[in-house]
Amino acid sequence: MSEELFASFKPYKNRLESYHKLPGKGREIDDIFTELSTIANEEDAKWKTGKCSGTYYHAGEEHRKFLNKVFALFSHVNGIQIDTCPSVFKMESEIVSMTANMLNGEAVKAVNPDDEVCGTVTIGGSESILMAMKVYRDRALKERNIKEPEIIKPVSAHPAFIKAGHYFGIKVIEAPLGESDFRVDTDAVKELITPNTIALVGSAGNYPHGLVDPIDELSEIALEHKIGLHVDGCLGGFILPWVEKLGYNVPTFDFRLPGVTSISADTHKFGFGLKGTSVILYRNKSLRRYQYFQSVEFQGGTYISPSMAGSRSGGLTAAAWAAMIYLGEEGYMESAKAIMSVADDIKKVVQGIPELKIVGDPTFIISFISDELDVFLINDFMSEKGWRFNAVQKPSGLHFCATRPQTLVPDLADQFARDLKAGVEYAKTNKGKEAKSSALYGLNATIEGQQMVSEILYEALDYFYKVV
Ligand SMILES: *Cc1c(COP(=O)(O)O)cnc(C)c1O
């Protein structure tokens, strides 16, 4: 069943050669390059229209070419080999320091002069989050002898926290959102705290709706209970500081709040580096120490590793560093301004359609729901027109995350207005019809359905890893 369901994920079947084993004799360079360029160009065409939500965070073709050149200089370098390539730690220490400064790291000194924001570079937002959760688990075991650790996360927070629970044996408790503002309900969070709670989580902004949780209130709760507070700024960390400076209403979420003990921020999203880097920051070095790993006894020599990954490409580090140095505050401000202009246009279009309702008070992600219409029918229509929204659930909605590619299409808002209005008409005329884009969500309604969905999703992964 899943093979049929997921067949569209294998468009190169019967078109390109499939390799079940190494070719006996290697192919010609030109031949390989031609094949890969063809498919890369075809796939790029899907987002170059500006109609694709999120996903492509690079800061323009020139910027990408520059990063690729930088990557090439260090592509073969292993970040773990500190003796032969000290450059990687030079760049990573600076990436961490610049990110800490952007997120008001110096504010921690006013609360405790011994604190100093520090961190590491990781391979992505998920690894940053995993590392922070491991830190809280290990700290709680050592300092408070907590053997059955729990964290409390908003339902809207990223699945990486559930993954952390899955990997590290931490119980993940989900807190509901406020009914009208869609930010975590802090009264509910208070109720959920137990003697085993090791940390709270808030997002800035969350993936479903792009909203910033009331981190100031979470900060107070965390201080009162002497537990950690992780702010997931994977998505918003590199844009919200600039959106705030532009004068938009962005709730404070960073180290200016005394209870915030760690923040994740992705250089590979709005940091505009290449995919494969993120930053995890801690309020002080004693927290970071719980992340580190060392093995003195290894036969192969003393081994140290700051995070989960072992070998990492110095090329990715160099690209993240170069992106930050090249853009500077001015570049990030300009990007944020252009992105917010697109987001504002999209917001206005949605606000002008009475059947649709915007979720909360958003900035760069516009998420909408509908009391009257099946938004997934709208999604079906919009997909036909080349738009790629992200479908969200509970409640059913669609979100559009503005990034740089959208800022390059001058009449994007007009196209969006025309297509969305037609999409709403389509959903009205086809009321009751089953939407293609919600096939899985429909099943989710019952326990048996949920089990089926989870089996289908596992089968999907099997299928993706199958050579066809
Ligand atoms: C992308 C994202 C993550 C996870 O990051 P990856 O880089 O995909 O591992 C976590 N939280 C939020 C809000 C995100 O958008």
Side-chain angles (χ1 to χ4, degrees):
M1 143 147 191
S2 11
E3 301 225 351
E4 266 166 58
L5 199 57
F6 296 106
S8 67
F9 291 98
K10 299 279 185 188
Y12 306 115
K13 187 181 171 180
N14 303 329
R15 188 181 142 196
L16 303 176
E17 177 127 18
S18 299
Y19 294 97
H20 291 267
K21 57 187 185 91
L22 285 169
K25 185 175 174 339
R27 268 171 73 180
E28 294 295 324
I29 285 183
D30 286 350
D31 191 27
I32 296 173
F33 202 76
T34 307
E35 176 172 319
L36 291 178
S37 309
T38 310
I39 56 181
N41 289 337
E42 279 177 25
E43 294 182 1
D44 278 349
K46 293 181 198 162
W47 58 264
K48 285 198 169 161
T49 57
K51 292 176 169 182
C52 178
S53 163
T55 321
Y56 297 90
Y57 292 91
H58 72 75
E61 282 304 306
E62 285 308 310
H63 181 78
R64 192 161 75 101
K65 273 186 203 142
F66 165 58
L67 295 192
N68 286 341
K69 263 164 87 176
V70 169
F71 176 80
L73 292 175
F74 293 89
S75 57
H76 56 301
V77 166
N78 185 355
I80 218 168
Q81 300 294 352
I82 299 149
D83 53 341
T84 50
C85 31
S87 54
V88 176
F89 268 110
K90 176 194 186 292
M91 293 185 280
E92 294 203 349
S93 60
E94 292 173 7
I95 292 171
V96 169
S97 179
M98 290 187 283
T99 309
N101 176 263
M102 180 182 71
L103 297 169
N104 292 297
E106 67 290 342
V108 303
K109 290 250 175 257
V111 183
N112 180 351
D114 293 337
D115 282 350
E116 185 183 3
V117 173
C118 59
T120 75
V121 173
T122 66
I123 57 169
S126 298
E127 192 188 20
S128 292
I129 289 169
L130 289 171
M131 289 292 81
M133 297 304 111
K134 186 192 104 67
V135 161
Y136 294 121
R137 182 196 70 170
D138 292 358
R139 176 175 77 156
L141 180 65
K142 177 142 187 255
E143 298 177 13
R144 289 169 58 205
N145 198 32
I146 292 180
K147 297 200 169 96
E148 292 180 22
E150 297 173 5
I151 58 166
I152 302 170
K153 84 180 236 324
V155 284
S156 53
H158 196 272
F161 294 98
I162 300 176
K163 199 180 201 181
H166 185 68
Y167 286 0
F168 299 142
I170 301 167
K171 187 169 170 191
V172 181
I173 295 168
E174 297 206 312
L177 308 181
E179 266 171 38
S180 56
D181 68 352
F182 287 85
R183 302 157 76 210
V184 75
D185 175 347
T186 49
D187 287 331
V189 171
K190 281 185 205 156
E191 297 278 307
L192 292 168
I193 291 178
T194 75
N196 284 332
T197 307
I198 58 169
L200 307 178
V201 171
S203 308
N206 63 43
Y207 175 81
H209 314 124
L211 302 175
V212 181
D213 287 310
I215 310 289
D216 52 348
E217 290 173 40
L218 292 175
S219 163
E220 291 305 311
I221 301 169
L223 286 176
E224 189 187 320
H225 292 268
K226 298 191 170 62
I227 52 180
L229 169 56
H230 180 81
V231 174
D232 179 10
C234 283
L235 189 54
F238 270 88
I239 187 168
L240 290 175
W242 315 108
V243 174
E244 180 186 347
K245 285 202 169 73
L246 286 169
Y248 287 85
N249 173 30
V250 177
T252 305
F253 67 89
D254 59 22
F255 288 112
R256 284 172 286 184
L257 298 171
V260 170
T261 47
S262 56
I263 305 180
S264 46
D266 287 356
T267 31
H268 71 190
K269 287 187 183 150
F270 289 107
F272 301 123
L274 294 177
K275 279 278 180 275
T277 59
S278 164
V279 177
I280 175 69
L281 297 174
Y282 299 100
R283 197 170 188 91
N284 55 48
K285 287 187 182 142
S286 71
L287 279 165
R288 181 173 64 178
R289 183 60 64 86
Y290 288 106
Q291 181 181 312
Y292 289 166
F293 176 79
Q294 51 79 18
S295 173
V296 195
E297 306 286 339
F298 177 43
Q299 272 196 314
T302 314
Y303 182 92
I304 48 172
S305 162
S307 57
M308 283 175 78
S311 300
R312 281 191 293 126
S313 171
L316 293 176
T317 297
W321 182 86
M324 293 174 83
I325 299 297
Y326 169 72
L327 289 165
E329 295 192 348
E330 209 180 32
Y332 283 112
M333 272 300 267
E334 275 168 25
S335 273
K337 199 171 171 188
I339 288 168
M340 285 309 297
S341 160
V342 170
D344 287 345
D345 285 347
I346 286 179
K347 190 164 141 184
K348 270 188 223 124
V349 171
V350 179
Q351 275 168 338
I353 300 178
E355 290 86 353
L356 305 179
K357 201 159 87 185
I358 289 183
V359 177
D361 181 18
T363 51
F364 61 92
I365 287 184
I366 309 301
S367 188
F368 56 88
I369 54 180
S370 176
D371 294 332
E372 303 152 50
L373 299 173
D374 181 353
V375 287
F376 296 128
L377 283 173
I378 302 177
N379 196 29
D380 285 355
F381 180 89
M382 295 298 271
S383 301
E384 290 287 315
K385 298 278 171 199
W387 293 89
R388 185 176 178 277
F389 285 88
N390 298 100
V392 302
Q393 55 177 342
K394 304 178 183 181
S396 300
L398 299 176
H399 96 208
F400 197 80
C401 176
T403 60
R404 280 286 287 259
Q406 287 95 6
T407 66
L408 305 175
V409 183
D411 68 336
L412 190 78
D414 295 336
Q415 293 187 50
F416 182 73
R418 188 192 61 219
D419 290 343
L420 189 64
K421 279 179 197 148
V424 166
E425 285 311 312
Y426 172 84
K428 273 189 197 165
T429 350
N430 289 279
K431 224 173 189 165
K433 182 174 164 181
E434 198 186 339
K436 276 188 249 152
S437 47
S438 68
L440 285 182
Y441 291 163
L443 279 172
N444 238 338
T446 62
I447 301 279
E448 299 79 52
Q450 273 170 17
Q451 279 164 357
M452 241 171 92
V453 172
S454 99
E455 188 48 38
I456 291 171
L457 293 179
Y458 285 132
E459 280 178 25
L461 286 174
D462 286 344
Y463 180 61
F464 297 157
Y465 267 103
K466 188 170 156 182
V467 178
V468 295

